[in-house]
Amino acid sequence: MDRLLYGAAYYDEYMPYERLAEDVAMMKKAGINTVRIAESTWSTCEPQEGVFDFSHVERVMDAMEEAGIHVIIGTPTYAVPTWMIKSYPDVLAETVKGRGIYGPRQIMDITHPVYLFYAERVIRELMKRTAHRKCVIGFQLDNETKYYGTAGKNVQEQFVKYLRKKFHDDLDALNAEFGFDYWSNRINAWEDFPDVRGTINGSFGAEFEKFQRTLVDRFLQWQADIVNEYRREDQFITHNFDLDWRGYSFGVQTDVNHFHAAKCVTVAGVDIYHPSQDELTGREIAFGGDVTRSLKQGNYLVMETEAQGFPCWTPYPGQLRLQAFSHLASGADSVMYWHWHSLHNACETYWKGVLSHDFLENAVYREVCTIGHDFARLSDHLVHLKKKNEVAILVSNEALTSLKWFGIQATAGSNESIQYNDVVRWLYDALYEMNIECDILWPESEDLSQYRVIFVPALYAAPDELLLRLKQYAADGGTLVATFKSGFANENIKVSTELQPRILSECMGICYQEFTFPKNVGLTGPVASDHAGAEAFMELLEVQGAKVLAAYDHYMWGEYAAVTENLYGKGRGIYIGCMTDQETLKKLIRHVMDGAGIPVLQESWPIIIRKGENTSGKTVRYYLNYSGKEQNAWYSHEDGTELLTGNKVLQGSRLTLPPWGFQIIESE
């Protein structure tokens, strides 16, 4: 993998007529050097139990090998064949809604022994036919794996064993920690354990979801162990992690702890989809890239992204090229489309690929050709981009799950609630628009000291050890920025009896006892914008040594602080007690960066600037224009070369970025 990978998922078995040779020729013309195959078609590879037919896989490998195109093999385990369910219907996952009905993908119980038996067999048969092939450069485990809500008897029996180990067989400790005396939920014998699916106890329900996430870790590791028996040392293992979905890739994944699950792969992979046309902002590309790059602290693979996708995503001219290079700007070593051709049947008929239903060259294909040739020409300059950021955001699956159970009502009288990812993206999007690049941390991340600033959004449920580490980070000289609802409960969502935000109170120099929903509440103070307001949820902060950066502008709440700053040890603690407007948040971020000695660029969105160091040790800066209007930026760094044109760029030069255009400058 010393070159940028550029390609698409390719499904020869879906084609309405024979056209493999023609597709290969079009790929070669476009500069596509990689295809991903096999992960979707278990029923084609094993049409009946024990009867294998890998002819589609083998003929595609033959064609790609002859053409010099790399192949990534996906294990075909995320959609089960009809014969399996006919013989073993209980392979279908039993969820809170009952047992599933065959039809959709990803409806099986990934712990079921029958499913695992057949999955192992088909993986091994596939590996025997592919691992030795010259064209095969790596393997993708399954596809966007999650636990699919599986909660049947076998899963719950495993959960009880998990709890017995966690609480050392002490039922009294479990009852006390989860608060089971409430509504007579107390469990007095392990044999009396109730069906978890009916629980109204957030601590219990969230713990079960945490356990369900571990099923994904085990499942992917199990697949990786099988693949490792066959793969060559020069072949990688990846997985295409996906993000929280809100009609597009949005936030931290609810059903998978990516940090844990990624331990079994040699290189992290991700699927990133996003709005397009006038809604194209680059935020989702950057967020998904920063999350995935941070999983293994290195370059990653974009396994899927859109070419055309939904009809509303059909890109404007130039947008596909902008998107492709934006992935590289975050540290990606590949851009791969889902998928090469548009389907003529089934539920994704109108999720369009590079080619439309007519298979003819089109505007998207012609732009793909441009990108492919650019990638080939510039690969030595852009591959393996290394990034060293001074800012990080700490995310937590446990906090995410806890706030799913205890959602924060947004405003008085509103039925809307703030979810964890709303707070994460509120912070991340502001940093992104200010061109402050960041890494993503998890509670288990070890070296906090490498960052000058760490943002902690809504860390509602957290063990004491994590809060103490964050507190020590500030004492040692870091700047810790925490938002409302941080440190409120322990890892079992048991609310603390201490003054909030308990362990962080000393570091932040504040405490609070009350919180409410804002109604006609403004903000006033050094970081408040001209029309600042508390937009959602508010904690009534009482100052205990901290400096007030913003107070509530309200005839009854005016005595309370909204945003504070406290000197603590060698560092600082900054606490945000409410969700503010974006302008106020950005003023606060600028204040934070000034205090941490981190310069903030004058350019902001729609001009996005991202940088890294290439394999030659030179700094590469991407200037990306996420708008339909021409934009100008100043190049204030050492002289360099604009890589797309080869033109020299002098320090102090004015850069002109066309609509949806960009420049890439390599410093000399």
Side-chain angles (χ1 to χ4, degrees):
M1 289 185 53
D2 58 348
R3 309 288 294 172
L4 293 171
L5 303 182
Y6 189 52
Y10 183 69
Y11 304 106
D12 178 59
E13 50 271 65
Y14 295 171
M15 288 295 183
Y17 60 87
E18 170 58 45
R19 54 171 290 114
L20 178 57
E22 186 176 351
D23 283 327
V24 170
M26 292 184 76
M27 290 178 188
K28 291 289 287 182
K29 179 180 177 181
I32 282 179
N33 60 20
T34 308
V35 294
R36 188 187 69 171
I37 67 172
E39 95 283 0
S40 284
T41 52
W42 189 344
S43 61
T44 305
C45 296
E46 191 177 3
Q48 289 296 323
E49 182 179 342
V51 178
F52 297 101
D53 180 4
F54 292 97
S55 56
H56 282 286
V57 175
E58 289 168 335
R59 72 190 298 267
V60 171
M61 287 192 299
D62 290 342
M64 299 303 167
E65 199 160 281
E66 183 178 353
I69 295 175
H70 303 308
V71 175
I72 299 172
I73 299 292
T75 60
T77 48
Y78 82 109
V80 293
T82 55
W83 55 259
M84 184 190 301
I85 302 307
K86 195 71 172 177
S87 299
Y88 309 98
D90 60 345
V91 163
L92 294 174
E94 190 174 355
T95 72
V96 292
K97 297 180 180 179
R99 181 116 23 220
I101 299 175
Y102 185 84
R105 63 181 184 174
Q106 298 172 316
I107 55 171
M108 64 284 180
D109 175 4
I110 60 172
T111 73
H112 198 289
V114 171
Y115 167 74
L116 294 174
F117 171 82
Y118 288 117
E120 178 174 357
R121 189 170 69 178
V122 76
I123 293 170
R124 289 188 182 279
E125 292 296 328
L126 178 65
M127 293 299 296
K128 291 174 187 176
R129 292 162 171 81
T130 59
H132 64 285
R133 296 295 296 260
K134 178 182 177 182
C135 61
V136 175
I137 59 171
F139 300 91
Q140 174 193 300
L141 308 176
D142 202 67
N143 178 80
E144 295 180 347
T145 307
K146 290 175 277 293
Y147 56 80
Y148 315 132
T150 186
K153 181 180 178 181
N154 61 320
V155 174
Q156 295 198 46
E157 287 175 349
Q158 295 177 57
F159 179 53
V160 172
K161 293 178 181 178
Y162 161 89
L163 288 176
R164 295 186 75 158
K165 181 178 180 180
K166 174 174 179 173
F167 288 98
H168 307 289
D169 267 334
D170 188 343
L171 264 177
D172 288 337
L174 181 147
N175 282 303
E177 195 64 16
F178 286 172
F180 276 150
D181 284 333
Y182 184 77
W183 280 2
S184 195
N185 279 186
R186 184 177 181 85
I187 302 170
N188 294 306
W190 291 106
E191 294 77 17
D192 296 340
F193 227 83
D195 192 318
V196 183
R197 293 176 296 173
T199 190
I200 46 80
N201 183 297
S203 296
F204 191 40
E207 190 69 25
F208 185 54
E209 291 184 46
K210 180 180 179 180
F211 168 74
Q212 288 173 305
R213 287 193 290 270
T214 69
L215 303 179
V216 179
D217 306 339
R218 285 160 45 189
F219 178 71
L220 291 178
Q221 183 63 64
W222 171 79
Q223 286 217 16
D225 290 342
I226 297 171
V227 171
N228 275 323
E229 293 183 34
Y230 297 87
R231 75 176 179 100
R232 303 189 306 266
E233 189 174 341
D234 63 329
Q235 293 170 323
F236 61 79
I237 296 180
T238 192
H239 176 72
N240 56 329
F241 293 107
D242 65 336
L243 302 167
D244 178 58
W245 186 260
R246 298 194 182 179
Y248 53 88
S249 305
F250 184 78
V252 180
Q253 173 57 252
T254 305
D255 296 336
V256 185
N257 185 315
H258 285 171
F259 187 76
H260 292 168
K263 291 180 180 179
C264 70
V265 301
T266 61
V267 58
V270 67
D271 296 348
I272 300 176
Y273 295 99
H274 49 81
S276 189
Q277 299 179 9
D278 291 333
E279 284 72 50
L280 178 63
T281 64
R283 296 187 188 106
E284 288 73 35
I285 293 174
F287 179 79
D290 288 342
V291 168
T292 312
R293 184 190 67 251
S294 300
L295 290 176
K296 301 185 81 69
Q297 293 294 303
N299 301 105
Y300 62 97
L301 303 176
V302 175
M303 300 300 293
E304 292 183 18
T305 192
E306 68 213 55
Q308 298 184 71
F310 294 142
C312 60
W313 289 354
T314 303
Y316 290 157
Q319 285 189 335
L320 205 67
R321 193 164 177 245
L322 172 64
Q323 293 159 200
F325 281 92
S326 295
H327 288 296
L328 303 188
S330 290
D333 274 345
S334 77
V335 174
M336 300 190 67
Y337 300 112
W338 200 90
H339 43 138
W340 171 247
H341 61 279
S342 300
L343 300 176
H344 298 77
N345 299 94
C347 66
E348 292 181 314
T349 297
Y350 290 102
W351 186 299
K352 296 180 68 179
V354 174
L355 302 183
S356 296
H357 296 98
D358 55 20
F359 297 123
L360 300 176
E361 293 189 8
N362 56 30
V364 167
Y365 173 79
R366 287 188 285 273
E367 198 158 318
V368 165
C369 291
T370 301
I371 299 165
H373 296 151
D374 285 341
F375 273 26
R377 179 168 57 94
L378 301 176
S379 187
D380 288 342
H381 300 271
L382 304 181
V383 72
H384 303 330
L385 189 73
K386 300 302 178 188
K387 304 176 79 69
K388 183 171 177 56
N389 295 321
E390 297 179 302
V391 177
I393 298 177
L394 186 143
V395 302
S396 163
N397 281 91
E398 287 67 42
L400 187 161
T401 305
S402 64
L403 286 177
K404 189 173 76 171
W405 281 88
F406 298 99
I408 309 168
Q409 188 175 332
T411 56
S414 170
N415 291 325
E416 297 181 3
S417 63
I418 303 167
Q419 297 299 318
Y420 179 76
N421 275 321
D422 295 317
V423 186
V424 171
R425 284 294 302 269
W426 174 62
L427 287 174
Y428 181 88
D429 290 357
L431 291 168
Y432 168 79
E433 291 180 7
M434 295 176 71
N435 284 312
I436 299 170
E437 294 196 68
C438 64
D439 291 343
I440 305 298
L441 300 175
W442 282 264
E444 300 86 352
S445 297
E446 295 180 356
D447 186 8
L448 304 183
S449 63
Q450 63 182 301
Y451 300 101
R452 294 196 196 183
V453 180
I454 295 178
F455 288 86
V456 182
L459 188 63
Y460 181 75
D464 290 357
E465 294 80 6
L466 174 58
L467 298 177
L468 289 169
R469 286 180 62 212
L470 293 172
K471 181 179 175 181
Q472 189 62 47
Y473 161 80
D476 291 341
T479 297
L480 181 67
V481 185
T483 79
F484 50 91
K485 285 295 186 183
S486 288
F488 202 82
N490 71 4
E491 66 270 29
N492 298 313
I493 322 184
K494 186 179 182 69
V495 175
S496 174
T497 58
E498 302 172 45
L499 273 174
Q500 293 293 350
R502 59 188 186 106
I503 291 173
L504 295 181
S505 288
E506 182 184 6
C507 170
M508 297 299 172
I510 54 99
C511 70
Y512 69 91
Q513 295 175 294
E514 297 177 293
F515 43 83
T516 186
F517 312 118
K519 189 172 184 179
N520 301 320
V521 179
L523 295 174
T524 182
V527 301
S529 66
D530 292 339
H531 304 287
E535 297 203 339
F537 193 75
M538 51 186 286
E539 295 167 346
L540 306 180
L541 306 182
E542 300 178 32
V543 172
Q544 295 183 323
K547 175 184 177 182
V548 177
L549 297 180
Y552 295 117
D553 186 7
H554 186 270
Y555 73 102
M556 292 300 291
W557 305 132
E559 66 182 283
Y560 296 106
V563 183
T564 60
E565 177 181 34
N566 188 52
L567 298 179
Y568 181 70
K570 298 177 182 178
R572 294 183 298 165
I574 294 172
Y575 193 85
I576 308 173
C578 66
M579 187 173 276
T580 71
D581 58 285
Q582 279 288 309
E583 187 178 347
T584 295
L585 178 59
K586 289 178 180 178
K587 284 189 70 174
L588 172 62
I589 289 173
R590 186 173 290 276
H591 174 83
V592 169
M593 297 303 150
D594 288 346
I598 300 175
V600 178
L601 300 175
Q602 68 178 30
E603 291 89 357
S604 61
W605 188 87
I607 298 174
I608 293 299
I609 302 171
R610 294 174 81 78
K611 70 175 183 177
E613 184 178 291
N614 65 15
T615 55
S616 299
K618 297 181 178 180
T619 299
V620 175
R621 291 181 175 87
Y622 288 78
Y623 288 76
L624 311 163
N625 177 13
Y626 272 96
S627 79
K629 296 181 180 179
E630 182 179 284
Q631 301 287 338
N632 294 308
W634 292 101
Y635 180 73
S636 58
H637 309 283
E638 59 272 22
D639 296 350
T641 301
E642 204 289 306
L643 294 177
L644 294 168
T645 62
N647 295 334
K648 295 295 181 183
V649 180
L650 302 180
Q651 186 178 38
S653 296
R654 181 186 182 189
L655 306 179
T656 300
L657 306 174
W660 309 112
F662 59 95
Q663 292 191 35
I664 310 170
I665 300 172
E666 181 184 62
S667 298
E668 294 177 356

